[in-house]
Amino acid sequence: MDNLRKTPNYDMHFKYGGKVVDFGGWALSVQFSGILEEHKQVREKVGLFDVSHMGEATVVGEQALAFLQKLVSRDLTPMEEGQVFYTHMLYPNGGTVDDLMVTKWGPTDYFLVINASNAAKDVAWMQKLAQEFPKVKVTDLSADTAELALQGPLAPATMQKLTKVDLSKLGYYHAVRKVEVAGIPNCIISRTGYTGEDGFEVFCDPANANKLWEAIMEAGKEFGIKPIGLGARDTLRFEASMPLYGQELDQNTSPLEAGLGRFVSVDKPTPFIGQEALKKQVAEGLPKKLVGFEMVDRGIPRHNYPVAKNGKEIGYVTTGSFAPTLNKNIGNAFVPVAEAKIGNEFDVIVRGKPLKARIVKTPFYKRKK
């Protein structure tokens, strides 16, 4: 583990029995008590995730909004202070630099959460664009920020024990900053997450990360809280049809192709990087489309397995797994648009053997509100 990057909660993984692995150069737990058990825990109760490997940055200055409007594909002008938008940074060809969360603190002050594996690339991309905006400053806060996620239907009851912020008034995809959590000052509480459940992401000084972890575990004890590893994190986000960079999104895939058009403002009045490529995709039609499918034959689809129709390869699986909540094997795949119809069938090639699958509506799972 000596050669891996460590989050501020590294010791907590061992204290709580985590099976620590190399996750993209980070030492993180793939599981604690077991992936299926942890998955069920978050769907039915509450679970705690160490997500301090994620990247954070601030965009501050008189030209902050103008800069972000050129940087991302979603129109940010309707944002209210304290609101969080999910959006994308694009290359000129429409491919995706990264998907990210943008929080607006004020007209000249924004907070960004970016993917861990892309953090250095993203910051370099933003700082290069910032050269066109002399009245904006991009600051990488990744090394100075710890992040824990509390997810599940009992997450609000757990978190409310730790803060005086009235969480009943904090809407989904809204955040507050400079608040106290478990006696720790200057925290951010964001009502967001990556599981499809209600919950929060809490940001604090890395020096207080272990204190926050222990306080959350203590507050959630009466609800049976458990720490959750990367394995359940992936099955939870996948059931909820939340994309993962490197699988559903990459440098050659636009958010339109990934079925994320509702987060894209193709006709945004202020031009953004990649806008012309997206307009061309809309005008000429998408070359591929992401679909969700369930296996008809027995077999578990996995990332990069080929998809075939009548013996001819037509696409590939982006994510595939057993879905614990649905109790079936499901997957996402890129296929030609002509094949992307609900009920259409194709073969997934599992270890050289074609197994029948059927396209179904997504998201696979949606929580009841």
Side-chain angles (χ1 to χ4, degrees):
M1 294 296 160
D2 291 344
N3 60 332
L4 299 179
R5 299 180 69 181
K6 299 174 177 60
T7 70
N9 290 122
Y10 176 72
D11 291 341
M12 295 294 101
H13 289 265
F14 294 97
K15 178 178 179 179
Y16 283 83
K19 183 180 179 182
V20 178
V21 299
D22 180 350
F23 180 72
W26 288 87
L28 289 166
S29 294
V30 67
Q31 60 179 334
F32 290 85
S33 55
I35 293 174
L36 295 181
E37 182 180 330
E38 291 166 31
H39 183 106
K40 185 178 180 182
Q41 174 76 22
V42 176
R43 286 278 180 258
E44 298 179 356
K45 296 181 181 178
V46 57
L48 176 64
F49 301 75
D50 177 10
V51 284
S52 285
H53 59 304
M54 298 293 284
E56 295 85 12
T58 53
V59 175
V60 176
E62 189 178 318
Q63 293 179 301
L65 178 59
F67 166 81
L68 287 168
Q69 286 288 71
K70 185 166 183 180
L71 179 75
V72 303
S73 60
R74 186 169 178 180
D75 187 359
L76 303 186
T77 54
M79 289 187 81
E80 305 166 358
E81 293 186 8
Q83 193 171 11
V84 184
F85 269 18
Y86 170 76
T87 185
H88 306 87
M89 293 188 281
L90 304 180
Y91 293 107
N93 70 352
T96 307
V97 178
D98 201 5
D99 57 342
L100 67 155
M101 307 289 273
V102 178
T103 303
K104 178 180 179 179
W105 298 130
T108 61
D109 192 354
Y110 294 82
F111 176 67
L112 278 54
V113 180
I114 53 186
N115 279 301
S117 59
N118 290 336
K121 177 188 73 175
D122 290 358
V123 171
W125 181 260
M126 288 189 283
Q127 289 180 336
K128 182 180 180 182
L129 177 62
Q131 293 174 10
E132 300 176 21
F133 296 85
K135 295 181 180 179
V136 71
K137 182 179 181 182
V138 176
T139 303
D140 183 2
L141 296 180
S142 303
D144 302 316
T145 307
E147 181 184 354
L148 291 173
L150 186 64
Q151 298 280 293
L154 296 177
T158 302
M159 181 58 69
Q160 192 61 79
K161 294 169 69 176
L162 300 169
T163 181
K164 294 180 181 177
V165 176
D166 185 352
L167 299 176
S168 68
K169 296 180 179 176
L170 183 65
Y172 197 46
Y173 274 72
H174 283 74
V176 291
R177 64 172 173 172
K178 299 179 179 177
V179 298
E180 193 173 286
V181 179
I184 300 167
N186 203 27
C187 294
I188 294 172
I189 302 175
S190 180
R191 197 161 199 157
T192 49
Y194 201 53
T195 64
E197 299 300 331
D198 194 3
F200 306 90
E201 293 173 301
V202 185
F203 303 83
C204 71
D205 187 312
N208 291 316
N210 286 348
K211 180 181 178 182
L212 179 61
W213 174 292
E214 296 285 32
I216 292 174
M217 291 299 294
E218 180 62 29
K221 187 179 290 184
E222 67 173 295
F223 307 120
I225 190 171
K226 293 180 179 178
I228 311 297
L230 295 163
R233 181 173 179 260
D234 193 52
T235 54
L236 288 160
R237 72 92 193 160
F238 171 48
E239 281 187 344
S241 292
M242 293 180 165
L244 181 64
Y245 192 89
Q247 294 186 205
E248 280 76 36
L249 289 166
D250 58 35
Q251 69 274 20
N252 296 314
T253 303
S254 79
L256 298 182
E257 293 169 309
L260 300 167
R262 63 190 182 281
F263 302 111
V264 178
S265 308
V266 175
D267 295 320
K268 186 161 69 173
T270 51
F272 60 89
I273 299 170
Q275 185 175 29
E276 291 307 312
L278 296 192
K279 284 184 174 180
K280 187 177 180 183
Q281 287 188 347
V282 171
E284 298 180 358
L286 299 173
K288 62 182 179 182
K289 188 174 180 180
L290 188 74
V291 297
F293 66 86
E294 61 183 23
M295 295 302 296
V296 177
D297 292 333
R298 292 186 65 179
I300 300 178
R302 296 296 187 194
H303 176 57
N304 268 340
Y305 278 7
V307 169
K309 187 75 178 279
N310 300 322
K312 180 182 177 183
E313 189 170 320
I314 61 169
Y316 61 94
V317 175
T318 58
T319 301
S321 173
F322 170 71
T325 309
L326 284 67
N327 194 31
K328 62 174 70 171
N329 297 324
I330 58 175
N332 289 327
F334 277 115
V335 298
V337 173
E339 298 289 343
K341 299 172 183 174
I342 302 295
N344 198 16
E345 293 186 344
F346 50 63
D347 293 326
V348 177
I349 311 301
V350 180
R351 297 189 183 91
K353 183 179 179 182
L355 299 178
K356 188 178 293 183
R358 181 185 301 119
I359 296 176
V360 297
K361 188 177 179 182
T362 55
F364 300 108
Y365 166 83
K366 193 172 185 179
R367 71 182 164 97
K368 297 176 182 176
K369 298 182 180 178

